[in-house]
Amino acid sequence: MKLQVPFIQLPLAFDAGALAAEIAALGEAPWRPHPQGFPGNSMLPLVAVNGDPANEAFAGPMRPTPELLHCPYLTQVIASLGVTAGRSRLMRLSGMAEVTRHADQGYYWAERVRVHVPVVTQPTVRFECGDAAINMAAGECWIFDTWRQHRVLNDAVEERVHLVVDTVGGGAFWDLVGRGRPHDGPRAGWQQHAVPVQPGVVATFACESVNVPAVMSPWELSGHLGLLLADAVPHPNLPQVRQIATRFARHWQGLWFEHGEREEGRAAFREVLERFMEEVRVPSQPLMLRNELRWYTVLTALVGKVALGGVASQPATAAAQRDVGDNG
């Protein structure tokens, strides 16, 4: 999700030692190689489709995995965020390793913010986003602008472990963000609320059940197109691309009010979508976004592949995930 600033610290403080103890008790068996295969990166699923840690899909009913339910304080931490939780994990970065520079362009992350709670870390671990670089201390809570180029460097021998919750948020969560502190904001007078351990309490929290549209609404479509057009680097072809996109959005809106998500309208939607993607392909080829991604590539990820319920519901291949971003 695109934010106004690179990093925002939320006013929550967690017991990192208690989290680390719960995670250590799980042992090594539940940890899996990171799907992108980056050296030194591994992950442990906590919220996944149907609670199945082996299911890497982006769409479907998200539920706690058995490993999460064995970690009461982890459930309490997630519940304290006030979110509707999407796919969530523990993400581990071994010593002298990195998360390579990238920006998240996949559909799943367009409307989701990525919450980080450092559990095991060191002062030298550096998280870079845009032109900012910070150290997230153990027990803190942060969100960052995944739309910007970002990377993580662990130049220590010890591993780094973060709880990472992907979420569209929720009312209580955005209230927390409103009380948050930009990374370069003053700490004086800013207060964090401690979330203490409640021994043995497995907390419940809302999880996603609907996450990919059968037919993208015209309002969501306009949001994605608006982001892409607003973030495009100025180019002589941009007015032509804007005109093509506007015509497509108006046509899509007409079909939506005629058919909605009914099956009978799918062929008409598909014809309009395919014609648009082909018409805009050539004039948009020179266009770049301010986050250094190619305009047409991101259009394909946000609209072309999912406006009719496409591949966002499937696990991404390693190559595809390198394009869309699935780390941090």
Side-chain angles (χ1 to χ4, degrees):
M1 176 179 284
K2 183 176 180 179
L3 301 176
Q4 293 299 310
V5 295
F7 297 99
I8 299 174
Q9 184 179 3
L10 303 191
L12 297 173
F14 303 108
D15 186 333
L19 289 172
E22 283 190 343
I23 294 166
L26 294 174
E28 187 63 27
W31 288 91
R32 299 166 180 267
H34 194 280
Q36 291 172 266
F38 290 139
N41 286 254
S42 56
M43 58 93 174
L44 195 161
L46 298 176
V47 178
V49 174
N50 295 318
D52 178 5
N55 192 330
E56 280 294 296
F58 298 105
M62 298 291 177
R63 300 293 181 263
T65 63
E67 288 75 22
L68 176 56
L69 296 178
H70 280 96
C71 298
Y73 189 46
L74 263 176
T75 68
Q76 296 164 33
V77 169
I78 297 174
S80 74
L81 299 174
V83 301
T84 298
R87 205 177 58 160
S88 302
R89 302 162 165 173
L90 296 171
M91 302 187 80
R92 184 170 64 181
L93 187 62
S94 64
M96 309 307 293
E98 68 174 310
V99 174
T100 56
R101 189 171 182 268
H102 67 287
D104 296 347
Q105 60 177 287
Y107 174 81
Y108 190 75
W109 290 279
E111 294 295 334
R112 286 168 183 80
V113 66
R114 178 156 272 193
V115 183
H116 276 251
V117 176
V119 178
V120 178
T121 189
Q122 303 83 40
T124 59
V125 175
R126 188 166 73 254
F127 201 129
E128 300 175 357
C129 182
D131 57 1
I134 66 169
N135 174 259
M136 298 179 180
E140 294 180 342
C141 186
W142 291 84
I143 62 175
F144 73 99
D145 184 356
T146 62
W147 184 250
R148 305 184 200 214
Q149 291 285 334
H150 54 275
R151 70 169 180 165
V152 183
L153 300 173
N154 182 9
D155 60 0
V157 175
E158 297 82 7
E159 66 187 19
R160 183 217 75 164
V161 178
H162 280 201
L163 165 64
V164 179
V165 179
D166 288 333
T167 178
V168 295
F173 173 77
W174 291 110
D175 288 343
L176 283 173
V177 174
R179 301 197 303 273
R181 181 187 70 87
H183 65 280
D184 55 356
R187 289 183 178 270
W190 184 76
Q191 296 183 340
Q192 296 170 268
H193 168 69
V195 180
V197 179
Q198 301 179 56
V201 176
V202 176
T204 60
F205 51 87
C207 291
E208 293 181 5
S209 291
V210 178
N211 28 38
V212 175
V215 178
M216 189 175 287
S217 76
W219 304 281
E220 182 181 2
L221 179 71
S222 293
H224 293 317
L225 293 175
L227 171 65
L228 292 175
L229 292 168
D231 247 31
V233 176
H235 188 277
N237 287 14
L238 188 55
Q240 180 186 3
V241 168
R242 186 185 304 275
Q243 183 180 48
I244 295 170
T246 300
R247 186 167 62 247
F248 163 63
R250 289 171 175 168
H251 199 163
W252 192 270
Q253 184 176 33
L255 289 174
W256 172 267
F257 280 94
E258 179 182 2
H259 301 290
E261 294 186 348
R262 293 198 301 271
E263 188 68 37
E264 66 192 47
R266 303 293 173 83
F269 278 114
R270 180 162 287 104
E271 179 183 354
V272 168
L273 176 62
E274 291 176 351
R275 184 166 65 244
F276 164 65
M277 295 301 293
E278 180 58 28
E279 184 180 5
V280 80
R281 180 177 59 84
V282 172
S284 68
Q285 285 306 303
L287 299 188
M288 298 293 295
L289 293 165
R290 298 184 192 278
N291 62 4
E292 304 174 32
L293 299 176
R294 288 194 167 278
W295 195 94
Y296 186 81
T297 300
V298 183
L299 173 72
T300 301
L302 296 186
V303 176
K305 291 182 177 180
V306 292
L308 288 174
V311 298
S313 62
Q314 302 299 322
T317 64
Q321 286 178 330
R322 278 191 290 273
D323 290 336
V324 303
D326 188 18
N327 50 11

